[in-house]
């Protein structure tokens, strides 16, 4: 057997910060001559090819995560991970790595263990601080080495950050950037890149405030253009100053707000574009950068929210018909980004934000925008609407109900949403899917409020059915303008049945909606096509899910039309379900007796089991018919007359029903209604009594379309070779079971039901042995 302890998956981190699966194999460790050292080897379990060959370097930082994962960086921007199937295998390889590096296997992160003696560590803690080389052009390489050597140690990182904060050290470094660039000193520019990148990894807000100030941020971006790992300089400053243009859709009078917007955009650009993709360990070192951007956005939203003049002018231009399309698109995009920024707010601040937008008239403005022809503007407006619905659906519901008192149904906001959902021109229906989710949220009773004065559920759903339902159902009604569905009707019927909602089921029964389905099935004849399969699947779903109301409706109204379909057992199974339901309804005593006997299937006294075994083997097995259930003597009902009486009544009822069916047969009425919409002809074979067999017999296959030898008849064909009869099922009667201690425990109630469905229909349950 393969050793699963060493079974691993190999992962590498791609540029999008997603882990790519490189394959599954088995890992081992050993000395590799070519690499001159102990290495990790992974060979594919499929063909034995080499998936990984990695030398265990003494200065490589390894990390063990979640007991079954080892992560490390092979080189800059190249991270690897081994995911073990078992913890034991992960522990074994971790011990090998720690042994090579001279580390204690009890730790989970080797990088936190700095190779320092206790004396050196004591000297570091007792010394007042880290002394940086003087800020001179000739010492840039030395400064870069100090920064790089300090990053692995948290203590040294702290001291380095304090040293950089003093005496304007960062601004002096940025002065040398201009000198190096003017002199085309590429070596100095590469050192500055490493220094600035290292300062980012120190994760200090005080340092970010210096680097992101108005007079420093572009020089910082300039330093990061000279990545020594790239062959050419990158043009970030050129993009920010010439390509990216700041547009004031509404003039911003506050200079502080304007400066904050510029800063946030540039810092976001540094994080997303300029900085190299951080490794697994470096990612945690940039958490303060994320926080810096986050709090900047919070501050921008707050400052804009407090500027009432700005917001008033914004919404005025949005709803003004004189505003040109390009200007309106810019306004909508700004409002969309404004709402996106609000997601960074705390709940109480977000409440105030959306309340401000509501008071300014954002919903009437969206109504105007959604009525425009520009798809880009409508798409942005839909995104804004989604923020409002997700935040407070009750606010949107209240607006549309108030709006209905003043406007026609056609121009209501919610009806505009429905129309855009129905008329989405996107082949992939991206907008329609988004709008469907929003509409579902609005009509969901679970998020509706109920107070002492009003019930939102009653008011809004009443409004929706009165003012909006005709818009939502218009495509469905248009599908039946010619008194027959033009497309999609059967699929829609299947969706409704799949809901298993008795409200819909009662409507289906009341309106006899299965009549056209059965008619289509019969008209399809022996053709084995998608229509045949789809209709059979509907009835099979009803049988498997045991939807009682639909089962009774189908059998009571359409059984005579479907009983001769034998190439599938779906309709026979439905009839069996129906008989069981009626038996339980008419004979509750039998149903309770079944539950009693089921309870007796569990553990009983050992002596009772021995007595029953003896009596079982003393019985004459030849007297028992095949498939006939046996009742144990200890479980016989003393007063059998009480049990026989309801069964006799059941037999009489069945006979009476058979006589009724003969009358129905002569009328050839499918549904049993007084004015049927269509009629069907049935088989002329009649049944003489409850257990008599059909006298008709013949060869398999439908007339003119014989089935293939050794296979079931084709769809629509009726097999007559097997005698057919209707009989009471043994499941409905009294069923006795012998349960020995060594019997399998798998024969549960479901197995019992399956066996009963396979029993010959001509057998009747006997009540005693």
């Amino acid at each position: 057997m393969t050793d699963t302890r060493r079974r691993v998956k190999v992962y590498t981190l791609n540029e999008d910060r997603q882990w790519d699966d490189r394959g599954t194999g088995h890992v081992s460790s050993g000395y590799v001559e070519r690499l001159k050292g102990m290495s990790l080897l992974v060979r594919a379990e499929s063909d034995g090819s080499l998936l990984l060959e990695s030398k265990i370097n003494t200065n490589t930082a390894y990390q063990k995560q979640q007991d079954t994962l080892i992560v490390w960086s092979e080189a800059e921007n190249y991270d690897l991970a081994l995911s073990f199937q078992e913890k034991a295998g992960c522990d074994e390889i971790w011990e090998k790595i720690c042994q090579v590096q001279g580390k204690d296997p009890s730790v989970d992160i080797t990088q936190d263990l700095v190779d320092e003696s206790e004396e050196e560590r004591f000297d570091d803690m007792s010394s007042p601080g880290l002394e940086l080389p003087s800020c001179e052009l000739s010492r840039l390489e030395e400064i870069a080495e100090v920064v790089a050597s300090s990053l692995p140690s948290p203590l040294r990182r702290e001291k380095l950050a304090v040293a950089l904060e003093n005496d304007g050290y960062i601004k002096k470094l940025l002065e040398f950037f201009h000198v190096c660039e003017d002199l085309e000193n590429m070596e100095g520019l590469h050192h500055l890149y490493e220094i600035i990148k290292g300062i980012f990894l120190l994760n200090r807000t005080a340092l970010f405030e210096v680097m992101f100030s108005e007079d420093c941020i572009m020089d910082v971006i300039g330093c990061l253009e000279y990545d020594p790992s790239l062959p050419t300089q990158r043009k970030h400053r050129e993009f920010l100053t010439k390509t990216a243009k700041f547009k004031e859709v509404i003039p911003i009078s506050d200079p502080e707000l304007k400066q904050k917007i510029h800063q946030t955009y540039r810092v976001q650009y540094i994080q997303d574009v300029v900085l190299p993709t951080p490794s697994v360990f470096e990612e945690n070192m940039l958490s303060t950068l994320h926080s810096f951007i986050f709090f900047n956005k919070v501050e921008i939203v707050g400052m804009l929210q407090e500027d009432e003049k700005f917001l008033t002018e914004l919404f005025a231009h949005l709803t003004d018909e004189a505003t040109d399309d390009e200007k309106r698109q810019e306004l909508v995009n700004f409002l969309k980004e404004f709402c996106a920024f609000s997601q960074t707010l705390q709940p109480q601040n977000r409440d105030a934000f959306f309340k401000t937008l509501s008071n300014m008239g954002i919903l009437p403005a969206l109504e105007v925008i959604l009525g425009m022809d520009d798809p880009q503007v409508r798409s942005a407006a839909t995104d804004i609407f989604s923020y409002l619905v997700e935040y407070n659906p009750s606010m949107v519901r209240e607006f549309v109900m108030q709006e209905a008192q003043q406007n026609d149904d056609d121009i209501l906001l919610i009806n505009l949403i429905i129309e855009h959902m129905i008329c989405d021109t996107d082949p992939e229906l991206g907008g329609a899917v988004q709008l469907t989710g929003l509409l579902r949220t609005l009509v969901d009773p679970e998020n509706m409020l109920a107070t002492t004065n009003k019930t939102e559920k009653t008011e809004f759903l009443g409004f929706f059915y009165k003012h909006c339902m005709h818009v939502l159902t218009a495509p469905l009604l248009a599908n039946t303008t010619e008194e027959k569905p033009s497309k999609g009707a059967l699929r829609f019927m299947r969706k409704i049945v799949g809901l298993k909602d008795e409200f819909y089921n009662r409507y289906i029964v009341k309106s006899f909606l299965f009549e056209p389905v059965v008619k289509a099935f019969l008209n399809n004849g022996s053709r084995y096509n998608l229509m045949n399969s789809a209709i059979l699947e509907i009835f099979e779903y009803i049988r498997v899910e045991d939807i009682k109301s639909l089962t009774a409706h189908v059998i009571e109204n359409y059984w005579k039309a479907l009983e001769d379909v034998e190439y599938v057992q779906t309709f026979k199974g439905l009839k069996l379900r129906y008989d069981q339901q009626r038996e339980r309804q008419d004979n509750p005593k039998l149903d309770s007796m079944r539950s009693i006997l089921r309870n007796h299937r569990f553990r009983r006294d050992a002596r009772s089991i021995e007595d029953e075994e003896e009596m079982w083997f003393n019985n004459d097995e030849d007297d028992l018919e095949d498939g006939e259930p046996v009742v144990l003597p200890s479980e016989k009902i003393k007063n059998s007359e009480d049990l026989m009486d309801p069964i006799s009544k059941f037999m009489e009822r069945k006979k009476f029903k058979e006589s009724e069916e003969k009358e129905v047969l002569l009328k050839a009425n499918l549904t049993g209604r007084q004015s049927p919409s269509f009629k069907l002809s049935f088989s002329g074979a009649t049944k003489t009594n409850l257990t008599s067999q059909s006298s008709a017999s013949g060869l398999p296959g439908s007339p003119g379309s014989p089935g293939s030898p050794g296979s079931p008849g084709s769809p629509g064909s009726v097999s007559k070779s097997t005698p057919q009869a209707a009989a009471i099922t043994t499941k409905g009667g009294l069923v006795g079971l012998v349960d020995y201690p060594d019997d399998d425990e798998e024969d549960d109630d479901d197995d019992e039901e399956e066996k009963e469905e396979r029993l010959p229909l001509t057998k009747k349950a006997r009540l005693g042995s």
Side-chain angles (χ1 to χ4, degrees), residues 9 52 119 144 206 245 249 367 418 466 477 488 510 529 564 583 621 632 689 694 703 742:
K9 276 186 177 293
L52 175 69
E119 184 178 351
K245 296 294 183 181
V249 291
E367 193 170 39
I418 295 173
K466 181 179 180 181
L477 299 177
K510 178 182 177 182
N529 51 21
D564 290 335
E583 190 174 349
E621 294 180 3
L632 299 177
N689 54 45
S694 173
D742 58 344

Side-chain angles (χ1 to χ4, degrees), residues 150-165:
S150 300
L151 291 177
S153 169
L155 182 61
R156 289 192 177 184
R157 283 203 305 269
E158 181 72 21
K159 292 182 177 181
L160 175 61
V162 173
L164 289 169
E165 292 172 13

Side-chain angles (χ1 to χ4, degrees), residues 291-456:
S291 300
F292 187 93
I293 297 171
F294 172 84
F295 289 112
N296 260 21
K297 291 180 178 180
V298 171
E299 195 171 348
I300 291 171
V301 172
M303 295 170 74
L304 286 173
Q305 185 179 337
E306 294 170 1
D307 192 341
E308 292 187 7
K309 180 182 177 181
F310 177 86
L311 291 179
T312 302
E313 193 173 350
L314 171 67
F315 285 106
H317 282 288
L318 273 174
T319 55
D320 188 357
E321 294 182 359
T323 304
D324 61 78
D325 292 342
E326 184 179 356
K327 179 72 170 180
R328 182 172 282 107
Q329 183 175 350
E330 292 175 353
L331 291 168
V332 173
N333 288 334
F334 171 81
L335 187 57
K336 174 185 172 182
E337 191 168 0
F338 190 32
C339 291
F341 273 28
S342 71
Q343 303 306 298
T344 63
L345 298 175
Q346 296 297 320
Q348 62 271 20
N349 296 334
R350 197 180 308 147
D351 289 342
F353 171 80
F354 281 108
K355 187 174 181 180
T356 300
L357 292 186
S358 178
N359 294 336
M360 289 289 176
I362 188 171
L363 287 170
L366 286 178
E367 193 170 39
V368 174
I369 298 168
L370 287 169
M372 296 178 178
D373 297 330
D374 191 335
Q376 293 183 342
V377 172
R378 289 205 310 266
S379 176
T382 301
D383 291 335
I384 297 170
F385 185 69
S386 68
Y387 285 121
L388 298 172
V389 173
E390 291 169 4
Y391 161 71
N392 191 347
S394 294
M395 179 182 72
V396 179
R397 295 189 194 108
E398 185 177 359
F399 168 78
V400 296
M401 286 191 290
Q402 292 176 354
E403 183 190 26
Q405 301 173 5
Q406 304 171 359
N407 299 331
D408 295 334
D409 291 352
D410 294 340
I411 60 174
L412 295 180
L413 174 61
I414 193 168
N415 285 341
L416 288 174
I417 295 296
I418 295 173
E419 289 176 6
H420 289 315
M421 177 186 72
I422 294 172
C423 303
D424 186 15
T425 57
D426 182 4
E428 297 182 357
L429 299 177
V433 171
Q434 182 183 14
L435 292 172
T436 302
L438 297 176
L439 188 63
R440 184 184 294 116
T441 301
L442 288 174
V443 299
D444 184 5
E446 296 299 323
N447 61 37
M448 294 184 182
L449 303 176
T451 63
T452 55
N453 299 327
K454 65 176 182 178
T455 303
E456 187 180 28

Side-chain angles (χ1 to χ4, degrees), residues 44 152 230 265 269 276 310 500 538 552 562 596 696 709:
L230 298 177
Y265 177 79
Y269 182 82
F310 177 86
K500 295 194 291 187
I538 292 179
L562 301 171
I596 293 172

Side-chain angles (χ1 to χ4, degrees), residues 651-703:
M651 301 280 283
E652 292 175 3
R653 180 179 63 77
K654 295 290 287 185
K655 292 178 181 179
F656 179 73
K657 186 185 175 192
E658 290 292 333
S659 65
E660 281 187 335
E661 289 178 352
K662 293 179 183 178
E663 296 178 7
V664 174
L665 183 63
L666 294 175
K667 294 180 181 179
N669 188 340
L670 173 65
T671 64
R673 291 181 286 172
Q674 293 182 359
S675 300
S677 60
F678 71 97
K679 295 182 179 180
L680 298 170
S681 60
F682 301 99
S683 170
T686 58
K687 300 175 176 56
T688 57
N689 54 45
L690 182 64
T691 58
S692 64
Q693 300 179 356
S694 173
S695 60
S697 63
L699 295 176
S702 60

